[in-house]
Amino acid sequence: MLEKTLDRDNLNRAFQTVKRNKGSHGVDQMPVQSLREHLKTHGEMITEQIRQGTYIPQPVRRVEIPKPSGGTRDLGIPTVTDRFVQQAVSQVLTEVYDPMFSEHSYGFRPKRRGHDAVRKARNYIREGYRWVVDLDLEKFFDQVNHDRLMRTLSFRINDPQVLRLIRRFLQAGVMEDGVTRASTKGTPQGGPISPVLSNIVLDELDQELEKRGVRFVRYADDCMMFTESKRAGKNLMASITAFIEKKLKLRVNREKSTVDRPWRRKFLGISFTPSRKDPKIRIASESIQQIKGKIKTLTSRRTSIPMEERIKRLNQYLTGWLGYFQLTETPSVLREIDSWLKRRLRMIRWKEWKTIRNRTKMLIQHGASRRKAWEWARSRKAYWRIARSPVMHKTLDEAYWADQGLMSLWHRYDQHRWT
């Protein structure tokens, strides 16, 4: 397995992947852009160290990123060189393990994605499994037991040098505020090897659920199990919690875990309608609040940037957001977001026009009558109220924003649906 890891084609794929994914620097401050030259100079030495078992990873750099639902998540950013080596190992591990993983596991796997998991969940609801066991694994990536993981890996990997290298990555330590502390458990999020290791750990949970005949979908540590009754859900939650904590040595967050109707829960930012005959995929209310929060930031009146640049940034964000949420089957919310966004932009335009004289001029220029333009230009109403006024709707209408280059979520969704 070591030779597969150090195969030139595998290393080239690892380099291209790290380069494509970009990402921040590690504790050595070396950026991704420097990796090519670094490997030209030190590549042979790195591969020889790996072959001889003397390669020592550096500690990961601890950073905090905000969670969409509030709070922060700790990431451990390896150095670019360590990311390159981790990626090479991860590719070989994926070749070995992925064919054996459950068909109900969708996260971090080739040719599988969140959309597939959401559709599978909807199908279970359609089949009559209208109760869901939503278990929250408490700080999963920080709680993985190293010894247990290494023992699991040894069942399939009989190359001690690869196993030693993986353990060194797990125990590389964390640097925070210039101080390094040891890692005794966990697989730090931020490194390329962490996703496949997490799937290896949770594959035991998948096997247990399959053995019991449970309908479930799992994406990384986000797992939903479907039952036909609340009582069955309660029994399943109790028994699976015991399995996770006693067998897998992980912790279940009992405050966040529950048995509930699927349309009252969210899975990967998605929820469902409560229809008995034909439940549909819809965007979860939390996801709608998240996009509105991001739009508020991009359309803040405190940020003085040209409208052209503002729209460019909005389009970049909206394109990525819709790329995922285009699977919704209740798209009316996209119209609502479009309308709300345009009101935010009209508010900015009103502020940009500043004076009564200029506001009158611009309203007339965009189609308002002289009387209406003069009347609204003198208004003392707040920006947000003015942005909803009939005169602003008429002058800065959908056609106006389309000419400005603003993307419409509804139009883009509608085009995708028929192409």
Side-chain angles (χ1 to χ4, degrees):
M1 192 169 189
L2 183 67
E3 292 309 315
K4 285 185 177 180
T5 301
L6 298 178
D7 178 77
R8 180 173 294 274
D9 288 341
N10 188 57
L11 293 177
N12 284 337
R13 280 199 298 129
F15 167 75
Q16 294 298 335
T17 301
V18 172
K19 178 184 173 184
R20 182 172 59 252
N21 290 342
K22 300 179 181 178
S24 183
H25 60 79
V27 295
D28 63 355
Q29 303 291 315
M30 187 176 85
V32 174
Q33 293 81 357
S34 301
L35 180 58
R36 184 187 294 274
E37 289 302 316
H38 181 74
L39 292 178
K40 283 182 180 179
T41 305
H42 304 286
E44 290 187 11
M45 179 188 71
I46 292 169
T47 55
E48 189 59 27
Q49 286 178 343
I50 295 171
R51 187 171 277 112
Q52 296 298 324
T54 59
Y55 183 85
I56 305 296
Q58 296 190 62
V60 298
R61 180 171 65 90
R62 174 71 77 201
V63 297
E64 290 185 349
I65 61 170
K67 287 183 178 181
S69 56
T72 59
R73 174 184 289 113
D74 289 335
L75 290 187
I77 309 298
T79 65
V80 176
T81 305
D82 286 342
R83 292 212 293 272
F84 163 70
V85 178
Q86 282 194 31
Q87 182 63 38
V89 176
S90 174
Q91 289 168 180
V92 176
L93 286 177
T94 299
E95 290 177 7
V96 173
Y97 280 95
D98 194 74
M100 301 183 299
F101 285 154
S102 168
E103 65 173 298
H104 306 290
S105 163
Y106 294 88
F108 311 120
R109 297 184 59 190
K111 299 179 181 180
R112 285 173 166 255
R113 56 179 185 161
H115 285 191
D116 303 321
V118 170
R119 292 189 181 103
K120 186 74 172 246
R122 181 202 44 200
N123 289 342
Y124 286 143
I125 302 170
R126 284 178 172 172
E127 292 169 5
Y129 296 88
R130 296 166 62 80
W131 288 92
V132 64
V133 179
D134 189 358
L135 279 185
D136 183 84
L137 296 180
E138 186 175 338
K139 295 185 176 180
F140 165 71
F141 287 93
D142 296 330
Q143 297 298 324
V144 171
N145 184 287
H146 288 176
D147 291 336
R148 197 173 191 287
L149 171 57
M150 294 309 303
R151 186 169 67 250
T152 300
L153 289 170
S154 67
F155 295 151
R156 294 283 175 183
I157 302 171
N158 52 16
D159 190 324
Q161 288 177 288
V162 172
L163 292 172
R164 188 182 305 116
L165 181 60
I166 293 172
R167 184 179 277 277
R168 283 179 178 170
F169 277 121
L170 292 173
Q171 299 179 336
V174 177
M175 180 175 287
E176 193 169 12
D177 298 326
V179 178
T180 300
R181 58 179 175 82
S183 300
T184 58
K185 59 182 178 179
T187 60
Q189 286 180 276
I193 203 170
S194 184
V196 66
L197 292 181
S198 68
N199 273 335
I200 291 170
V201 170
L202 290 175
D203 184 59
E204 288 188 66
L205 173 61
D206 298 342
Q207 292 177 27
E208 179 67 17
L209 292 172
E210 287 183 349
K211 185 170 69 176
R212 299 185 185 195
V214 176
R215 275 74 175 172
F216 74 98
V217 288
R218 183 178 66 78
Y219 191 97
D221 60 331
D222 200 345
C223 182
M224 299 192 90
M225 295 158 274
F226 294 83
T227 62
E228 293 181 289
S229 69
K230 186 174 184 178
R231 176 180 291 182
K234 290 283 188 182
N235 291 337
L236 177 60
M237 184 166 73
S239 60
I240 286 298
T241 296
F243 174 83
I244 290 171
E245 295 187 336
K246 293 178 181 178
K247 184 78 181 290
L248 303 186
K249 308 299 183 185
L250 299 171
R251 289 205 304 260
V252 173
N253 187 327
R254 286 167 170 77
E255 291 183 2
K256 293 184 178 180
S257 301
T258 188
V259 178
D260 204 349
R261 295 293 195 177
W263 46 88
R264 291 200 287 260
R265 310 298 297 173
K266 68 180 178 69
F267 178 59
L268 305 180
I270 293 294
S271 188
F272 306 92
T273 62
S275 170
R276 180 172 293 276
K277 292 184 177 180
D278 187 25
K280 297 184 182 300
I281 297 168
R282 67 181 178 188
I283 303 170
S285 58
E286 294 91 338
S287 300
I288 295 171
Q289 293 307 311
Q290 288 162 19
I291 185 177
K292 285 191 171 184
K294 181 64 175 182
I295 288 173
K296 275 187 177 181
T297 301
L298 293 173
T299 58
S300 171
R301 299 199 313 270
R302 298 177 183 177
T303 307
S304 181
I305 59 175
M307 183 62 77
E308 180 182 353
E309 176 62 23
R310 198 184 294 272
I311 288 176
K312 179 182 176 182
R313 295 180 187 180
L314 281 166
N315 286 346
Q316 289 173 343
Y317 173 72
L318 294 174
T319 298
W321 186 88
L322 187 62
Y324 179 75
F325 287 103
Q326 66 189 8
L327 84 165
T328 181
E329 296 168 325
T330 58
S332 60
V333 68
L334 301 180
R335 286 186 183 273
E336 295 171 11
I337 295 172
D338 274 345
S339 177
W340 183 79
L341 168 57
K342 292 182 177 72
R343 185 178 175 186
R344 297 277 309 174
L345 294 176
R346 288 195 297 269
M347 179 179 64
I348 293 171
R349 273 289 190 240
W350 191 249
K351 182 184 179 184
E352 289 175 346
W353 291 346
K354 292 184 179 178
T355 65
I356 293 176
R357 178 174 182 153
N358 192 49
R359 286 171 177 171
T360 304
K361 173 186 171 184
M362 297 307 295
L363 286 173
I364 293 172
Q365 182 177 315
H366 288 95
S369 68
R370 189 173 297 276
R371 182 178 66 82
K372 283 291 184 183
W374 176 246
E375 176 187 335
W376 281 98
R378 296 177 64 205
S379 173
R380 294 187 178 182
K381 295 182 186 296
Y383 292 122
W384 186 238
R385 172 65 182 83
I386 293 288
R388 197 179 63 174
S389 66
V391 72
M392 290 293 280
H393 266 285
K394 178 181 177 181
T395 54
L396 306 187
D397 57 9
E398 288 197 14
Y400 171 83
W401 292 113
D403 288 342
Q404 298 294 307
L406 179 67
M407 169 186 162
S408 165
L409 289 171
W410 167 256
H411 289 154
R412 184 68 62 86
Y413 170 87
D414 202 40
Q415 290 170 1
H416 174 81
R417 183 171 54 168
W418 298 109
T419 56

